[in-house]
Amino acid sequence: KAKENSVGKKTVTIYLSAQGEKLNQKMIHELGQYENLILLCGRYGGIDQRVINECVDREISIGDYILNGGEIAALVLIDAISRTIPGVIGNEDSVKYDSFEQGLLEGPIFTRPREAFGQVVPEILLSGDHKKIKHWKESLALVVTALKRPELVVNISKREILSAAQEIRTLNEMEIKACGIEPEELNGLTRGLER
């Protein structure tokens, strides 16, 4: 129910509320299409229901917990939406693989040096083969998501998850641990998918 304001710009009025629909990345992209957002923030008990009835287009919650007011929730919303605006992030392609952009968690990030804390960067990342690296990162993201947030992969075939898990199993044990995955955890995922 977005409203046209007096200068013809699309405006949506949002009330940050525990009763609202839970914020997700798809919603962030939708809200980023509006030229104007009016964010209403309640304090303690909230705001008058009549204001909600008459002025609010959408109620949004940032999660199932309690804050003293909606100000922090508004900051979360602003920060998340700003990342979708061209020019805010230097390399716009870099956000395409952030957590939730593809419906998955982003896989682990590695920087230099090659070895730190007795852990090594997986050899594939040093190969220089960008196509293989991209495929490997996608497989790792799928495995990490299946292990940490299985509810996000319910619409992905077991075969696809198993294939990704088997690819990650080709790493040596040190490399698997460096990815934040215990080898037995990975084996358990594979066994569960093979059933």
Side-chain angles (χ1 to χ4, degrees), residues 73-89:
L75 288 174
V76 168
L77 190 64
I78 291 166
D79 188 66
I81 292 171
S82 69
R83 295 176 55 79
T84 69
I85 298 170
V88 170
I89 301 293

Side-chain angles (χ1 to χ4, degrees), residues 4 12 28 30-31 39 63 66 78 93 108 112 120 150 155 195:
E4 289 289 319
V12 64
I28 292 295
E30 289 171 16
L31 295 172
L39 305 178
I66 301 168
I78 291 166
D93 287 339
R112 289 192 168 94
V120 295
N155 293 324
R195 287 187 208 144

Side-chain angles (χ1 to χ4, degrees), residues 119-131:
Q119 301 174 53
V120 295
V121 172
E123 195 65 39
I124 181 98
L125 295 176
L126 305 172
S127 70
D129 186 332
H130 297 291
K131 188 175 180 181

Side-chain angles (χ1 to χ4, degrees), residues 120-163:
V120 295
V121 172
E123 195 65 39
I124 181 98
L125 295 176
L126 305 172
S127 70
D129 186 332
H130 297 291
K131 188 175 180 181
K132 278 185 179 177
I133 291 170
K134 181 179 181 287
H135 175 73
W136 182 83
K137 283 183 171 184
E138 290 169 352
S139 294
L140 185 57
L142 184 51
V143 168
V144 167
T145 305
L147 289 169
K148 295 183 178 186
R149 294 284 304 275
E151 75 277 11
L152 296 176
V153 297
V154 293
N155 293 324
I156 298 175
S157 74
K158 283 185 176 184
R159 176 185 286 164
E160 190 176 346
I161 300 168
L162 181 60
S163 175

Side-chain angles (χ1 to χ4, degrees), residues 143 146-147 161-162 165 184-194:
V143 168
L147 289 169
I161 300 168
L162 181 60
E184 188 49 46
E185 188 179 30
L186 184 59
N187 292 337
L189 175 65
T190 304
R191 282 192 302 271
L193 292 167
E194 288 173 339

Side-chain angles (χ1 to χ4, degrees), residues 64-78:
D64 295 339
Y65 47 87
I66 301 168
L67 300 170
N68 284 326
E71 299 86 358
I72 293 173
L75 288 174
V76 168
L77 190 64
I78 291 166

Side-chain angles (χ1 to χ4, degrees), residues 51-70:
V51 173
I52 297 169
N53 295 347
E54 290 301 313
C55 302
V56 171
D57 298 305
R58 283 179 95 162
E59 288 185 70
I60 295 176
S61 168
I62 63 165
D64 295 339
Y65 47 87
I66 301 168
L67 300 170
N68 284 326

